[in-house]
Structures are given as structure tokens and as C-alpha cells.
């Protein structure tokens, strides 16, 4: 789009938002452009961009140029947000574009350095309908146990989810966003559209990367603490052994083990199961009949592990390949 950019032009500075527009729109000269779900009823054409991160498959080259634009938006722009245009949109002279799931009827590109699109999975519903949505730049938000989804759109946003107890979709669009999810017994499904984003979870949640339309994004999980697998500590087992002969069984962390000698898995929470048959006096063993040896178990093979445990290091690598 060059000399044919002849449409009436509205000049703005800072961020600009295209919404409630009925005509074919042009957007020129923004830094980054974010296209929300169901934002463009017709064709969304990118004519000059560095990277396009899109959750809508690219369908060929643009059928539009500047001569097809009814109204243009330009000026000293920061970021552009496309929310509601009932016709086509032509975007040019930008750095990066981020297109949400269902963002346009058709996406076309010309003069784009690289397109990132992963069609391996799709959200079960539009992220626009999620319970929690954070949109923009450098926002911070804390939420408790959202019931369906968290959508983060923009850059440098931070969202912390606490007490998550329901399966959750986390949908991240843009760059350098961080989402932290803590809770128990829930599955966290992650979608990325962009770059350099991070989703991290606590140890009692399971997580998976469903699709990554971008690069350098990370899904990370806290290691499960050994206490989650321990049924009876040493002090608990010895607590009632005041006088007489007692057969005790307890577990303690095996800090020197990064894999489980019992099942062979790479594990975060390897524990040693120990037992002792001894004569006790004031809770102190004065004569040992049998020390029972040591056996091992971990979060993968112990029947006392919680239902949801974190990914192993190998599983984390596989999820991001």
C-alpha cells in the first residue's frame, strides 16, 4: 500500500481502536496490531508487517489494497486494536500482528516476513467469552477460581489465578505476558498466539500446551514437594513409641535422588520408605531387632501421590516441541 492510499484519513496519536465500523477500513503505521475474536466480518489483509501471529489460517494473498479502503486511520500511532468492523480491513506498515481465534472471515498476507500459525488445536469457545479478560499494556490482575477461561491480550501483562479448582483454558495473545495459576486437582490448557509469553502452574495442577502460534513461549510447572507423597513422617511414626517394642514405618525425602529407583521415572518427589522394629524407652530405640532396609517411591508410582501432579522435565520438553 503506497501511492494508492487515497481514502479519507483520520489522524490519531497513541493507541487506536477500530470498532463499530461498517465500511472497509485501513490501518496504517501502528507498532503492533491486535485483532480480537469475530472482529472482521470480511477479509483481513496484511500488506506490510514483520511477523503475523495468527490463530486463523492464512488464505492466500490479499485481494485488497489501499484503493479499496473507504476510511483510513493513521498518524503517530502506538498499538492498534481491531474489535468490530462489519466489512474488510487492510493493515500496512506495522511491526507485528496478533490475530485471535475467529478474528476474521479470511486472513491474507503480502509483504510479510513470517507467519506463525498452529492448527493442532482450537479453543472450545471464543476467548472473547472467557470469564476473565485482560486487554492492553502493563496491566496486573489477580483472580480466584475462574470457571472456564482466562484470556490475556497485549504486552507485559501479569495475571495471577489463585485457588483454581476447575479445568481452565489460558489463552495468551501478544508478547511478554505472564500468567501464574495456583490451585489443586484441575487441568490447565494453554494456547499461545505470539512470542516470549509464560504460563506457570503450581505443583498440584496438570498442564498442557494445546497450540503455539508463535515462538519462545513457555509452559512451566513447579516441582511436586516430597511432602505431597509422604504418608507418615519419622516424627509421627515415633510419636507413640514411648515404651516397649514397636514396629514403625515412615517416609522421608530422598534428596539425593532425581530419578525413582522403584519405577525408573524422572521425578521431583522421590521419597525413601523406612521401617524399624525396636525396643523403645522414652521414644528412643534402645535395642533394634530389624531396621527393614530402604525402599523408594515417587509421585508417579506411589498410591499416596495426589491425583494431579506436575509434568516431568522430559514431559515439559515434549509439550513445547
Amino acid at each position: 500500500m503506497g501511492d494508492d492510499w487515497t481514502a479519507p484519513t483520520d489522524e490519531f496519536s497513541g493507541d487506536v481502536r477500530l470498532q463499530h465500523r461498517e465500511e472497509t477500513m485501513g490501518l496504517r503505521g501502528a507498532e503492533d496490531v491486535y485483532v480480537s475474536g469475530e472482529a472482521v466480518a470480511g477479509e483481513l489483509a496484511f500488506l506490510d508487517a514483520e511477523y503475523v501471529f495468527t490463530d486463523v489460517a492464512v488464505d492466500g494473498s490479499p485481494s485488497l489494497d489501499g484503493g479499496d479502503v473507504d476510511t483510513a486511520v493513521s498518524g503517530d500511532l502506538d498499538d492498534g486494536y481491531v474489535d468490530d468492523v462489519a466489512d474488510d480491513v487492510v493493515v500496512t506498515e506495522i511491526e507485528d500482528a496478533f490475530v485471535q481465534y475467529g478474528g476474521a472471515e479470511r486472513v491474507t498476507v503480502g509483504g510479510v516476513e513470517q507467519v506463525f500459525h498452529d492448527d493442532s488445536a482450537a479453543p472450545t469457545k471464543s476467548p472473547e467469552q472467557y470469564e476473565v479478560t485482560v486487554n492492553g499494556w502493563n496491566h496486573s490482575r489477580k483472580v480466584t477460581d475462574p470457571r472456564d477461561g482466562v484470556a490475556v491480550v497485549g504486552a507485559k501483562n501479569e495475571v495471577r489465578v489463585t485457588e483454581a479448582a476447575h479445568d481452565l483454558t489460558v489463552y495468551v495473545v501478544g508478547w511478554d505476558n505472564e500468567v501464574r495459576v495456583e490451585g489443586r486437582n484441575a487441568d490447565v490448557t494453554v494456547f499461545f498466539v505470539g512470542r516470549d509469553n509464560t504460563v506457570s502452574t503450581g505443583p498440584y495442577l496438570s498442564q498442557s500446551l494445546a497450540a503455539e502460534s508463535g515462538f519462545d513461549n513457555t509452559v512451566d510447572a513447579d516441582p511436586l514437594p516430597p511432602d505431597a507423597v509422604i504418608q507418615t513422617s519419622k516424627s509421627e511414626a515415633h510419636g507413640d513409641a514411648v515404651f516397649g517394642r514397636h514396629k514403625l514405618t515412615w517416609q522421608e525425602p530422598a534428596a539425593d535422588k532425581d530419578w525413582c529407583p522403584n519405577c525408573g521415572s524422572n521425578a521431583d518427589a522421590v521419597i525413601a520408605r523406612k521401617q524399624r522394629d525396636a525396643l523403645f524407652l522414652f521414644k528412643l530405640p534402645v535395642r533394634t531387632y530389624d531396621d527393614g532396609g530402604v525402599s523408594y517411591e515417587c509421585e508417579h508410582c506411589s498410591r499416596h501421590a495426589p491425583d494431579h501432579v506436575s509434568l516431568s522435565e522430559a514431559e515439559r520438553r515434549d509439550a513445547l516441541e
Side-chain angles (χ1 to χ4, degrees):
M1 183 180 296
D3 295 338
D4 55 359
W5 184 275
T6 57
T9 301
D10 297 327
E11 297 286 336
F12 293 94
S13 62
D15 292 344
V16 64
R17 190 174 298 273
L18 303 186
Q19 58 185 356
H20 311 309
R21 307 300 290 256
E22 300 292 332
E23 70 273 33
T24 296
M25 295 295 302
L27 176 58
R28 183 181 191 183
E31 292 183 4
D32 294 333
V33 172
Y34 300 89
V35 182
S36 62
E38 302 179 3
V40 181
E43 180 179 346
L44 172 61
F46 294 102
L47 299 184
D48 183 10
E50 185 172 358
Y51 294 149
V52 172
F53 305 89
T54 175
D55 210 1
V56 179
V58 171
D59 184 17
S61 300
S63 63
L64 305 169
D65 60 25
D68 299 302
V69 171
D70 296 320
T71 302
V73 173
S74 188
D76 185 17
L77 303 180
D78 292 331
D79 292 337
Y81 296 86
V82 182
D83 289 339
D84 179 16
V85 178
D87 208 319
D88 302 319
V89 175
V90 178
V91 179
T92 189
E93 297 178 22
I94 66 167
E95 293 184 7
D96 296 338
F98 307 89
V99 184
Q100 289 189 38
Y101 176 74
E105 182 69 22
R106 181 183 179 215
V107 174
T108 59
V109 297
V112 172
E113 182 173 328
Q114 192 166 358
V115 175
F116 297 89
H117 171 65
D118 182 356
D119 61 358
S120 57
T124 55
K125 65 179 181 179
S126 172
E128 297 292 307
Q129 302 171 357
Y130 289 172
E131 179 180 345
V132 178
T133 302
V134 175
N135 195 313
W137 174 280
N138 204 30
H139 295 302
S140 179
R141 187 171 176 185
K142 181 178 179 180
V143 296
T144 300
D145 191 22
R147 297 304 176 94
D148 51 10
V150 173
V152 181
V153 181
K156 296 187 175 296
N157 297 296
E158 295 184 5
V159 176
R160 183 178 181 186
V161 177
T162 61
E163 301 178 29
H166 297 81
D167 292 348
L168 187 66
T169 297
V170 177
Y171 192 88
V172 184
V173 180
W175 58 276
D176 202 19
N177 298 288
E178 295 186 9
V179 180
R180 170 71 179 174
V181 184
E182 299 173 349
R184 301 183 71 94
N185 300 328
D187 297 319
V188 179
T189 303
V190 181
F191 292 82
F192 288 122
V193 183
R195 60 178 176 83
D196 300 304
N197 301 291
T198 300
V199 175
S200 63
T201 69
Y204 302 104
L205 298 166
S206 63
Q207 60 291 118
S208 61
L209 177 62
E212 181 186 21
S213 298
F215 61 90
D216 289 344
N217 300 291
T218 303
V219 178
D220 196 13
D222 292 353
L224 190 75
D227 287 347
V229 184
I230 290 176
Q231 183 184 20
T232 305
S233 67
K234 183 176 181 180
S235 61
E236 290 172 338
H238 287 69
D240 295 327
V242 182
F243 297 103
R245 184 173 177 175
H246 298 274
K247 294 181 179 180
L248 308 179
T249 300
W250 72 93
Q251 305 87 45
E252 57 190 46
D256 60 334
K257 304 291 185 183
D258 55 9
W259 61 277
C260 180
N262 181 47
C263 68
S265 298
N266 290 327
D268 295 316
V270 181
I271 63 169
R273 180 178 291 273
K274 299 183 177 183
Q275 60 185 24
R276 172 180 290 162
D277 180 3
L279 180 66
F280 288 85
L281 181 63
F282 298 109
K283 299 186 180 182
L284 296 175
V286 296
R287 181 178 180 182
T288 298
Y289 302 102
D290 183 9
D291 65 7
V294 179
S295 62
Y296 295 94
E297 58 192 72
C298 69
E299 69 266 31
H300 301 293
C301 63
S302 173
R303 64 172 183 256
H304 303 295
D307 291 338
H308 288 69
V309 297
S310 63
L311 293 174
S312 69
E313 191 64 32
E315 289 170 327
R316 290 177 206 164
R317 288 195 299 267
D318 290 344
L320 292 173
E321 287 181 353

